[in-house]
Amino acid sequence: MAQILAGIGRLGLGIALAGGVVNSALYNVDGGHRAVIFDRFSGVKPNVVGEGTHFLIPWVQKPIIFDVRSRPRNVPVVTGSKDLQNVNITLRILFRPVPENLPKMYSSLGVDYDERVLPSITNEVLKAVVAQFDAGELITQREIVSQRVSEDLTERAAQFGLLLDDISLTHLTFGREFTAAVEMKQVAQQDAEKARFLVEKAEQLKKAAIITAEGDSQAAAMLASAFGKAGEALVELRRLEAAEEIAAVLSRSRNVIYLPPNQNALLQIPS
């Protein structure tokens, strides 16, 4: 009985050991990932393992899992423009590795390849591209700058086995001196616009005054011409109007004596 129990115990131990060996010989590669196998005797295997469950030799081989999905990264860079202005630029990059290049990438760069590659090549490309534009052009021609950075950076990243799905300039500012100069320029432009408006307003007022004066002059000339042609008739008309007004006033007054015209009459007032 004791021998049977000992045999069962050895069998259970063997099964447990076998299960542990089998379990250690299996590994999983999740969706959107790839694996590279490191062998203790032969080094990094050239084959890339896809998604699913796979076998390896326990204690001899080790899987290194890579994420091959697009991932974002912000890279800030301080550089100089063509007119020697300090420029602060932040570049947002969506990157992923080329799966076929993972063994070589792991051998030369390691798992943190993005930390080793992206900051250096981004800094290099941005300095080269930004130096071709002055500060004003970086603002007015931002799309052209972004396109050149995208083309050069994509070509540079391909040398390290990286694919760049999207590149965008998310932040672009200048030094304090340049910012202050831009603000002063804007204020000066606003003052110039205000002064031009005042000058145009004065010109319009001047033209209005000239037109008014010309109108008054023409009116005076027309009146003078009218007086010259019919001066006596106008004077007679005014005399008759005045006489009519005087007669109306006298008719409403008391103690008024009317004398016939063209006769000499003596008004005797008793003493």
Side-chain angles (χ1 to χ4, degrees):
M1 187 64 180
Q3 292 180 353
I4 295 175
L5 292 176
I8 294 174
R10 286 193 295 271
L11 180 61
L13 179 61
I15 293 174
L17 290 174
V21 171
V22 172
N23 187 47
S24 63
L26 296 176
Y27 68 96
N28 293 321
V29 179
D30 296 331
H33 294 72
R34 297 292 185 274
V36 173
I37 302 300
F38 173 75
D39 192 291
R40 296 181 185 275
F41 299 105
S42 60
V44 179
K45 297 291 185 179
N47 298 327
V48 178
V49 182
E51 303 168 358
T53 301
H54 307 275
F55 291 93
L56 52 71
I57 302 174
W59 302 293
V60 176
Q61 295 178 338
K62 180 180 69 172
I64 295 92
I65 308 298
F66 286 89
D67 189 348
V68 295
R69 296 170 298 184
S70 292
R71 290 181 291 161
R73 182 182 179 90
N74 292 328
V75 182
V77 176
V78 179
T79 183
S81 63
K82 186 178 180 181
D83 53 351
L84 304 180
Q85 298 293 336
N86 290 328
V87 185
N88 300 313
I89 298 179
T90 299
L91 207 63
R92 184 180 182 274
I93 304 171
L94 279 177
F95 71 95
R96 56 188 172 91
V98 179
E100 294 77 12
N101 294 337
L102 287 176
K104 180 180 178 181
M105 186 180 298
Y106 177 70
S107 298
S108 59
L109 299 173
V111 178
D112 56 345
Y113 59 89
D114 56 322
E115 293 286 347
R116 299 173 182 269
V117 174
L118 289 178
S120 60
I121 64 175
T122 302
N123 190 38
E124 173 190 348
V125 170
L126 277 177
K127 287 182 180 295
V129 173
V130 172
Q132 302 175 16
F133 300 86
D134 58 34
E137 292 173 343
L138 290 175
I139 299 175
T140 58
Q141 302 181 20
R142 183 165 178 166
E143 293 183 359
I144 298 176
V145 176
S146 180
Q147 181 179 358
R148 291 191 183 180
V149 170
S150 179
E151 293 174 354
D152 294 351
L153 191 58
T154 300
E155 181 180 356
R156 191 77 174 89
Q159 300 175 4
F160 296 91
L162 292 177
L163 294 176
L164 305 184
D165 295 325
D166 183 67
I167 301 171
S168 58
L169 294 174
T170 60
H171 183 72
L172 193 152
T173 59
F174 300 92
R176 295 181 178 178
E177 295 80 5
F178 180 78
T179 303
V182 171
E183 292 177 354
M184 293 177 62
K185 182 178 179 180
Q186 291 178 345
V187 172
Q189 290 177 347
Q190 293 175 356
D191 292 341
E193 290 293 332
K194 183 178 180 180
R196 185 169 62 183
F197 171 75
L198 293 176
V199 171
E200 292 178 354
K201 182 179 179 180
E203 289 292 335
Q204 294 299 325
L205 292 175
K206 180 180 178 181
K207 291 180 180 179
I210 292 174
I211 293 173
T212 302
E214 290 178 350
D216 294 341
S217 177
Q218 291 178 359
M222 293 175 64
L223 288 174
S225 176
F227 288 154
K229 293 179 179 179
E232 295 181 357
L234 184 61
V235 171
E236 182 63 21
L237 177 62
R238 294 290 184 266
R239 188 180 68 79
L240 292 175
E241 290 176 351
E244 183 179 1
E245 292 179 0
I246 293 172
V249 172
L250 292 177
S251 64
R252 291 191 297 270
S253 299
R254 296 179 178 181
N255 301 323
V256 175
I257 298 175
Y258 295 94
L259 298 178
N262 299 325
Q263 293 184 10
N264 292 324
L266 178 64
L267 179 62
Q268 297 181 354
I269 300 175
S271 56

